[in-house]
Amino acid sequence: MDGCGAPEQGVPLPAGVNLDEQTVLAGKVLAGGTPVGGAFVRLLDSSGEFTAEVVSSAEGDFRFFAAPGGWTVRALHRQGNGQAEVTAAGPGLHTVEVAVA
Amino acid sequence: MSRENVLVSAEWVEQNLETPGVVFVEVDEDTTAYDAGHIPGAVKIDWKNELQDPVRRDFVDRAGFEKLLSAKGIANGDNVILYGGNNNWFAAYAYWYFKLYGHDQVKLLDGGRKKWELDGRPLSTEPVERAATSYTAKEQDASIRAFRDEVVAAIGTKNLVDVRSPDEFAGKLLAPAHLPQEAAQRAGHIPSAVNVPWSKAANEDGTFKSNEELRALYAEAGLDEGKSTIAYCRIGERSSHTWFALHELLGYEDVKNYDGSWTEYGSLVGVPVELGSGKES
């Protein structure tokens, strides 16, 4: 999956976040193509180690402040689980979608 | 120590929602989760606004804790069941805090909100009112709380467990990856600390791993069961989770939580700081 999508509407970044310096991973959790809120979204590092967890918004959005490198985003929900890989070559906004089933 | 003394299952909670003398308390950093739906009958405690001193960097004091619990309708004899988001981080912190002020009948809902939600159990938006009580707290139990001088003195002698993520331990990140990375303190970890991320003590659904798994985890990381242990993280909440695993589940005797954690230590002048992954043992 391409980890460098164009910025789009999602969870607004907090004021003061500098995308020249911060590596932001953001995206949506989907079930059958429909955004899923209330999913537990876990960020795992390149060795599979847990790094952070957030809950997806009502529109299915999630966001992490990470560091350059390869990451796995894994989502848990009553409707099922799923995961996706994303590579952040450097600072900026990197988008990824996670389908649960 | 028996798990039943310190943990309850989601199933138990659902069966005991109406049991007299049992009070469910949701503890979060962001209480919008509670407001959008909570375990029926549960009251909320706001970690930041209700458990922290509004001015100084410290807890609310004994009188403040008494006032808080009285207003929440929690009595000295109540069985308090704590749960929350973030894999029970702040609920574990509150658990430690209840113990600190001498409330013995307190347990955690294993898995917290996450397990409850993944199970599809009921959530309520009904306002919860409990009659006020006259709660009496004890003096803080210093045997479970570590301060900075003790932490510096523990370098190379006691078990120091840094429960942050590997990248925070190594000095690559200053905060968990769901938070912005600006902070004043230096990055790194306390020399001689071993890195056992809090998450290794939990299953994916937020429940604690078995005692056998936990014992193997800490032994493999090089924790000496015969030594005293101090756990720390960034602000003391994730280390409460590990303190719970070591002290309440495994029954290690002398385990303290350093609530000042990296936010304090990484700001101290003149203390040793180590970068990188540290020594593997």
Side-chain angles (χ1 to χ4, degrees), chain B residues 150-168:
Chain B
E150 187 179 354
V151 171
V152 174
I155 295 171
T157 59
K158 293 184 179 179
N159 295 318
L160 285 167
V161 190
D162 185 319
V163 314
R164 296 174 298 162
S165 62
D167 280 351
E168 291 174 271

Side-chain angles (χ1 to χ4, degrees), chain B residues 25-106:
Chain B
V25 183
E26 177 161 338
V27 190
D28 278 311
E29 188 178 28
D30 172 3
T31 57
T32 55
Y34 174 95
D35 298 336
H38 50 79
I39 291 181
V43 295
K44 69 173 169 181
I45 288 182
D46 183 324
W47 173 78
K48 196 181 287 173
N49 294 328
E50 295 182 320
L51 292 179
Q52 304 292 309
D53 186 285
V55 180
R56 298 180 309 122
R57 199 162 160 254
D58 204 349
F59 302 157
V60 293
D61 60 15
R62 181 180 169 185
F65 189 69
E66 291 176 338
K67 192 175 159 195
L68 174 69
L69 265 61
S70 299
K72 298 288 177 188
I74 299 171
N76 283 81
D78 282 338
N79 286 298
V80 176
I81 311 295
L82 300 165
Y83 74 99
N86 288 60
N87 291 278
N88 266 343
W89 286 358
F90 294 95
Y93 182 96
Y95 179 100
W96 174 73
Y97 201 109
F98 271 67
K99 288 285 186 186
L100 196 76
Y101 279 121
H103 193 100
D104 288 328
Q105 302 199 71
V106 57

Side-chain angles (χ1 to χ4, degrees), chain A residues 14 16-18 22 38 40 42-43 45 49-54 63-67 71 74 76-78 81, chain B residues 86-87 89 113-114 117-120 165-167 173 176-182 197-200 203-205:
Chain A
V17 172
N18 183 347
Q22 301 245 349
F40 297 90
R42 296 164 69 81
L43 181 68
D45 71 14
E49 182 60 57
F50 173 91
T51 303
E53 181 179 298
V54 296
R63 181 187 63 217
F64 296 104
F65 297 89
W71 301 91
R74 177 162 170 77
L76 311 179
H77 190 267
R78 280 196 310 283
N81 304 332
Chain B
N86 288 60
N87 291 278
W89 286 358
R113 259 195 94 96
K114 178 156 71 171
E117 288 186 29
L118 288 174
D119 285 354
S165 62
D167 280 351
L173 293 179
H178 65 282
L179 298 170
Q181 296 295 322
E182 293 97 2
W198 70 273
S199 54
K200 287 185 181 288
N203 297 307
E204 191 174 69
D205 65 4

